[in-house]
Amino acid sequence: MIVLERTAYLTMLAHCQSLYPQEACGFLAGANGRLSAVYLVENVLHSPVRFEMHPQQQLEAMLDSEEKGLPDLVIYHSHPQGPPRPSPTDLRLAYYPDWPQLIVSLESRHAPVVRAFSITATAVSERKWYLE
Ligand SMILES: [Zn+2]
């Protein structure tokens, strides 16, 4: 189960809105499935349809969350003009098979829709998530 603390959720949404119409990306981190920390990572592609996390920032975020005792990681990225489901590129690349991914759709810009998935090279499945 994925539980997002409200402050982390709102920070993630604000990050996605601030980079519109480019895709935003980052991590949420927490313990016992409860995600409380947000790490904003630069999308080095600065693209409206693709993302790739800045490798150094990604590494630093992972080390920092580990240091703080927040081992549960979830990756997020936005679909500024696309639906809240993995794009063909997300499926093809399956960059992060070890972690759930949140997709923030800003298709209706002022009514973001967030869905969670596990995406591996061979399968995609939707995950349940809750806001607290
Ligand atoms: Zn995507």
Side-chain angles (χ1 to χ4, degrees):
M1 184 164 68
I2 301 167
V3 178
L4 267 69
E5 288 189 2
R6 184 166 296 272
T7 310
Y9 174 74
L10 293 175
T11 302
M12 174 184 75
L13 288 188
H15 181 218
C16 293
Q17 292 282 14
S18 73
L19 290 185
Y20 184 95
Q22 293 182 5
E23 286 199 11
C25 56
F27 282 102
L28 295 156
N32 306 313
R34 191 182 171 87
L35 305 168
S36 54
V38 188
Y39 294 91
L40 283 52
V41 179
E42 182 182 345
N43 174 5
V44 293
L45 301 178
H46 298 284
S47 159
V49 291
R50 290 189 59 181
F51 80 102
E52 192 178 309
M53 284 199 249
H54 187 291
Q56 185 65 27
Q57 290 179 13
Q58 180 184 349
L59 183 65
E60 282 167 11
M62 294 176 73
L63 292 175
D64 188 75
S65 61
E66 196 178 303
E67 220 165 77
K68 289 179 173 149
L70 304 171
D72 299 336
L73 297 182
V74 170
I75 289 164
Y76 71 87
H77 75 281
S78 61
H79 283 176
Q81 283 151 11
R85 60 170 180 267
S87 69
T89 305
D90 293 333
L91 295 174
R92 185 167 51 82
L93 297 177
Y95 267 144
Y96 308 102
D98 297 336
W99 304 298
Q101 296 195 42
L102 290 170
I103 296 180
V104 179
S105 170
L106 301 176
E107 217 173 7
S108 300
R109 192 168 173 194
H110 298 292
V113 178
V114 181
R115 287 168 69 189
F117 299 89
S118 291
I119 305 169
T120 69
T122 52
V124 54
S125 57
E126 184 154 14
R127 303 279 302 266
K128 282 201 158 76
W129 70 274
Y130 301 90
L131 190 59
E132 275 193 9

